[in-house]
Amino acid sequence: MERISKPENLTVYRKKGLTVLGGLISLLLAAALITFITVAYLMTPEETVKEVKTSVIIAFTGVGIGAFFLISNTALCLYNLRYPVILATDEKGIYDYSGFIHCGFIGWNDILEITGCGNKAEAFIDLFENGSLTEVKIELKNRKATFANRSKLWTALFIMSGFGTVRIRTMCSPLSKKITYALLNERLKYYTES
């Protein structure tokens, strides 16, 4: 039987320029939405506004919610600049700082499987399932035990952002999804089977 050599520790650094660009694009989209709805409101004759009062309220509410999420995305992108590393591994486990809700440390023994990269059909299904082609998913054996020391707010945000699955986001990473998937699976196999 061939002996597998111990893999090196992995450290993947964030592309800071791409993170800043994503935040700025979100901020510009929010400003454009707010400007567009405000200009449209100011240019609409007063009589028309009175006739369609409900529609105006719904439009302002929708734009407000959309702008809130875009501005939140900007804040989270800028917050992520504090973490130069997206992903790191060692003999203990994985350290995830890739998404907006950072999972931090996940032990190798807590991981059931790593998925999210396969043939083109699976990538296409991923796009429709969660809207992203840039995520490697980590299925945990027992999510509650793995994140037992986390607050209820963190747990709620984690479930809402990733549907209870750890997602290593590779959008601002120098490594592609496929390479990240291969490297993580190699390390998982080594540390759980030996």
Side-chain angles (χ1 to χ4, degrees), residues 11-61:
T11 304
V12 180
Y13 291 95
R14 181 179 311 279
K15 286 186 174 178
K16 291 184 178 185
L18 194 57
T19 305
V20 170
L21 180 64
L24 288 176
I25 288 172
S26 292
L27 186 62
L28 290 174
L29 284 173
L33 268 176
I34 292 168
T35 303
F36 176 73
I37 196 72
T38 304
V39 168
Y41 176 74
L42 293 174
M43 293 182 73
T44 304
E46 200 171 311
E47 304 82 38
T48 307
V49 172
K50 288 179 182 176
E51 291 173 8
V52 290
K53 185 177 179 182
T54 305
S55 300
V56 171
I57 292 171
I58 291 171
F60 272 106
T61 303

Side-chain angles (χ1 to χ4, degrees), residues 16-188:
K16 291 184 178 185
L18 194 57
T19 305
V20 170
L21 180 64
L24 288 176
I25 288 172
S26 292
L27 186 62
L28 290 174
L29 284 173
L33 268 176
I34 292 168
T35 303
F36 176 73
I37 196 72
T38 304
V39 168
Y41 176 74
L42 293 174
M43 293 182 73
T44 304
E46 200 171 311
E47 304 82 38
T48 307
V49 172
K50 288 179 182 176
E51 291 173 8
V52 290
K53 185 177 179 182
T54 305
S55 300
V56 171
I57 292 171
I58 291 171
F60 272 106
T61 303
V63 166
I65 291 170
F68 171 76
F69 282 114
L70 288 168
I71 292 170
S72 296
N73 186 48
T74 299
L76 291 169
C77 283
L78 296 177
Y79 175 75
N80 275 343
L81 290 175
R82 293 179 47 200
Y83 299 93
V85 173
I86 290 177
L87 172 70
T89 65
D90 61 14
E91 60 277 347
K92 297 174 190 169
I94 296 174
Y95 302 86
D96 167 39
Y97 300 101
S98 65
F100 297 130
I101 308 300
H102 302 158
C103 293
F105 175 74
I106 304 164
W108 293 116
N109 293 328
D110 295 336
I111 298 172
L112 181 64
E113 68 177 333
I114 299 174
T115 60
C117 194
N119 59 32
K120 289 181 181 179
E122 289 173 4
F124 192 68
I125 291 169
D126 276 352
L127 178 63
F128 282 106
E129 184 179 296
N130 58 31
S132 178
L133 292 169
T134 62
E135 296 177 347
V136 174
K137 298 175 215 161
I138 299 176
E139 302 288 335
L140 300 174
K141 292 178 183 173
N142 185 346
R143 180 179 45 83
K144 289 183 180 181
T146 303
F147 300 129
N149 61 345
R150 305 298 173 95
S151 69
K152 290 182 181 181
L153 176 62
W154 183 91
T155 304
L157 291 172
F158 172 73
I159 290 171
M160 286 190 301
S161 70
F163 304 107
T165 303
V166 177
R167 296 172 189 265
I168 306 293
R169 289 161 175 89
T170 59
M171 170 111 21
C172 295
S173 170
L175 299 180
S176 70
K177 174 182 176 178
K178 190 174 186 176
I179 293 171
T180 303
Y181 170 78
L183 291 172
L184 289 178
N185 264 322
E186 174 189 6
R187 282 151 179 77
L188 177 66

